[in-house]
Amino acid sequence: MRLVLEYDGTDFHGWQAQPAGRTVAGELSRAIATITGESPRLIAAGRTDAGAHSLGQTVSFELGREIAPGRLMTGLNAVLPDDVAVVDADIAPAGFHARFSARRRRYRYVVENREARSAVLRNHAWQVKSPLDVEAMRQAAGRLTGRRDLGAFGKDPAGRNTVRNLEAVDVTPLAAGGVGALIAFDLSADAFLYGMVRRIVGFLVDVGSGRRSAGDAAAGARVAPARGLYQMAVEY
C-alpha cells in the first residue's frame, strides 16, 4: 500500500516513531491499527524534523489482507488527528520502497522578511528582521547546484558518502516589500542529507543579509529553524 500524507509539524517531534513524544509515524500507526487491526512497518520517503511540515510525504507498507485504497484513506482520515491527513492512496507496485524508489524530492522553505513579529506565520515561517538581498542569495544558490559533495550542509544518516545531485535552488519573493514580505526557497535533488535544506537556507540568508559573500564556505552558517520547512513532493 502507498499513502501520501500532509501534516502540520508544529506539535510533532518529527516523523520517526520514538518512545517519548508525539510523532507522525506514531499517529499513523495507531490509525492503521484502528482501521485494519494490523501494525505494519511504515517506510517513509524522508524523516522530517520536529516542527517541519509536509504536503507530500509518501509512506509504503504491507497489509496482511486486502483493502481498497479509497476505503482505507476514508477510514484513516476519520480517525487521524486534525494535523495529519491522507491525501492519496493506491496499491504500490511490486518492489516499491517509499525511500529507495524515489527519483527526486522537492522541498520549500519560507522566510518572512519583516521587522514586526508574526502572529499568523509564527509556526510556519522563519522571521528574518534584517532586509535580504534576493539577487545575492540567487547568485550564491547558483554556486551550489549540480552533482557535488554537500557534506558541509548535512550528514548521511547511515554514514555513507555525501555526494548529491542538487538540481535547483530557486529563490522567489512571494510578496514584494512592505509588511509580510515572504521569500520562498525551492530545492529539488535526487536525495537530501540530514539537515541539508535548513543549512543551505541558513547560508543563503547569511549571504542575503550581508554576513558573508556568495563564495564563502558554508561552515559556521546558521541552521534555519524547522518551522519554515515544507516537504513538498516526492517523485517516483
Side-chain angles (χ1 to χ4, degrees):
M1 187 68 68
R2 174 169 55 188
L3 303 179
V4 179
L5 307 180
E6 68 176 37
Y7 48 85
D8 182 329
T10 301
D11 295 326
F12 287 109
H13 289 262
W15 158 263
Q16 189 69 14
Q18 49 190 276
R22 180 173 180 256
T23 68
V24 181
E27 293 289 359
L28 181 59
S29 293
R30 280 188 286 274
I32 291 173
T34 298
I35 298 302
T36 69
E38 300 183 39
S39 299
R41 175 173 175 261
L42 305 180
I43 299 171
R47 299 180 179 182
T48 51
D49 298 333
H53 317 289
S54 180
L55 298 177
Q57 173 73 282
T58 300
V59 183
S60 59
F61 56 91
E62 295 184 3
L63 292 173
R65 64 184 181 89
E66 291 187 6
I67 181 171
R71 179 184 172 195
L72 178 61
M73 181 172 72
T74 299
L76 292 175
N77 282 332
V79 298
L80 282 167
D82 290 343
D83 49 3
V84 188
V86 179
V87 297
D88 195 16
D90 64 2
I91 302 296
F96 178 82
H97 190 287
R99 179 182 175 192
F100 296 128
S101 298
R103 295 186 299 107
R104 179 181 295 108
R105 295 165 169 85
R106 295 193 290 111
Y107 285 85
R108 167 170 284 192
Y109 195 97
V110 178
V111 166
E112 186 171 30
N113 190 205
R114 73 179 194 185
E115 186 173 354
R117 70 178 179 85
S118 177
V120 174
L121 296 178
R122 66 189 185 280
N123 294 320
H124 298 91
W126 177 21
Q127 182 193 1
V128 177
K129 295 183 178 181
S130 58
L132 295 176
D133 184 335
V134 171
E135 188 54 39
M137 293 190 292
R138 284 174 174 162
Q139 291 180 12
R143 294 171 175 257
L144 302 177
T145 57
R147 188 166 187 83
R148 63 183 68 241
D149 188 341
L150 293 165
F153 293 104
K155 299 178 181 179
D156 185 288
R160 295 167 297 200
N161 75 69
T162 52
V163 174
R164 297 292 186 272
N165 182 25
L166 184 55
E167 298 173 352
V169 183
D170 297 322
V171 184
T172 308
L174 300 180
V179 176
L182 301 180
I183 301 172
F185 297 78
D186 292 298
L187 296 86
S188 61
D190 57 349
F192 285 84
L193 301 169
Y194 179 75
M196 179 173 149
V197 175
R198 293 169 59 191
R199 284 181 171 84
I200 286 177
V201 172
F203 168 68
L204 295 178
V205 166
D206 276 352
V207 170
S209 61
R211 295 180 61 184
R212 61 177 66 218
S213 70
D216 284 349
R222 284 185 282 183
V223 179
R227 62 181 175 272
L229 179 60
Y230 297 79
Q231 181 190 40
M232 299 299 291
V234 184
E235 299 176 15
Y236 295 93

